[in-house]
Amino acid sequence: MLTQARNATRRYAVRALRCIAAAALTASGCANPAPAADRGTPGVLPPHPVMRTLGPSPGGGDAPFAPLAAAGDLSYGGGAVLPNVRIVPVFWTGNVNATIQSEIHCFYSAAVSGSYMDWLSEYDTPTQHIGRGSVAGDVTITPSHTGKTLSDGDIQDELAAQIDGGALPAPTASTLYMMYFPPGISISSLGGSCVAFCAYHSDFSHNGHAIRYGVMPDLGSGGCTLGCGGGSQLQNTTMASSHEMIEAVTDPDPFSGWVGPLSEIGDVCNMQTATLPGTSYAVQKQWSNSRGICFSPSTGPTSTEPPVIAE
């Protein structure tokens, strides 16, 4: 879970964002740059905060973890990973920020089909190999939950109803529904969006299927502008999205996959910004057991495994 705090101590440089121009992504409609006003400012970003991780405790309920004072290796708990993640971008009404709606598919298409995913093979299990993924079509839902404050239970109920009604594709063992919310919607669970967290991922069971999902509040309004990154809304959103996506790949059913003394793979490296290879999208570094550092590849593909752009 990507968390929020307000004490600034670090600076991370990322380049201005643009949509991918690579020929391999043209077929996915990802060759058009974002509007200039939404790309963010090149150079050094404002300080990122020291992070304190808050989230569901392994024993159940909501409890704070210790401050992220030092890193620690992840260990495998015997559960599932997502071998070839299938991202389904979901917009909670058509009022989600227009730049996020236009850019997020391009971001995921690049993130799941290159070196940012390839290195995760170090977290293979005895029976599961983590490889590249795919991106399904974006879906804008008309939710039955119309309140301005939503609980995690409300979100689960809505996901189940939208799947049952055919608005969302049926889940597979690799499906990850990444849900984006408009301004004015707050999530009350886990201490509150823009108060205790910037984003999170979780799971629940429905009709015999595991439903894995990420919750991405609007990071351009309210308290989310203060502690959820120092860049543009798009930069902060893609960074938070990468945090939750990689955590969901390595620990889709929280605390049963790859976890460590400081929680999941992204929590150890909270807010350590990098750039997605071959693009200018902001991503977060993730903990690498084999390297003993927070890591993000700096160059293009590191595998001969063919990319999967879309379904």
Side-chain angles (χ1 to χ4, degrees), residues 211-245:
I211 310 296
R212 283 75 175 242
Y213 63 101
V215 173
M216 310 295 302
D218 181 80
L219 299 186
S221 60
C224 285
T225 63
L226 300 176
C228 293
S232 70
Q233 181 171 355
L234 181 58
Q235 288 173 317
N236 296 344
T237 299
T238 58
M239 185 177 67
S241 297
S242 68
H243 178 123
E244 301 306 331
M245 176 184 72

Side-chain angles (χ1 to χ4, degrees), residues 198-293:
C198 303
Y200 68 88
H201 75 98
S202 192
D203 75 304
F204 66 100
S205 180
H206 178 64
N207 290 339
H209 297 281
I211 310 296
R212 283 75 175 242
Y213 63 101
V215 173
M216 310 295 302
D218 181 80
L219 299 186
S221 60
C224 285
T225 63
L226 300 176
C228 293
S232 70
Q233 181 171 355
L234 181 58
Q235 288 173 317
N236 296 344
T237 299
T238 58
M239 185 177 67
S241 297
S242 68
H243 178 123
E244 301 306 331
M245 176 184 72
I246 299 300
E247 285 190 343
V249 166
T250 54
D251 187 34
D253 309 315
F255 306 107
S256 67
W258 287 95
V259 295
L262 300 177
S263 195
E264 296 171 301
I265 187 171
D267 297 327
V268 181
C269 306
N270 236 345
M271 290 287 186
Q272 294 193 28
T273 310
T275 302
L276 184 65
T279 80
S280 293
Y281 287 114
V283 291
Q284 188 194 285
K285 295 180 180 181
Q286 315 287 340
W287 179 254
S288 169
N289 274 359
S290 66
R291 297 169 179 85
I293 59 171

Side-chain angles (χ1 to χ4, degrees), residues 141 155-171 177 204-209 211:
I141 64 171
I155 294 170
Q156 292 184 7
D157 289 346
E158 195 64 55
L159 261 174
Q162 297 289 336
I163 292 168
D164 292 345
L168 291 176
Y177 303 95
F204 66 100
S205 180
H206 178 64
N207 290 339
H209 297 281
I211 310 296

Side-chain angles (χ1 to χ4, degrees), residues 62-74:
D62 298 330
F65 291 110
L68 301 182
D73 281 352
L74 308 180

Side-chain angles (χ1 to χ4, degrees), residues 17 86 113 119 132 139 169 175 185 202 215 222 224 226 234 259 292 300:
L17 287 162
R86 177 178 179 252
S113 63
W119 75 275
R132 297 185 181 185
V139 180
T175 301
I185 299 291
S202 192
V215 173
C224 285
L226 300 176
L234 181 58
V259 295

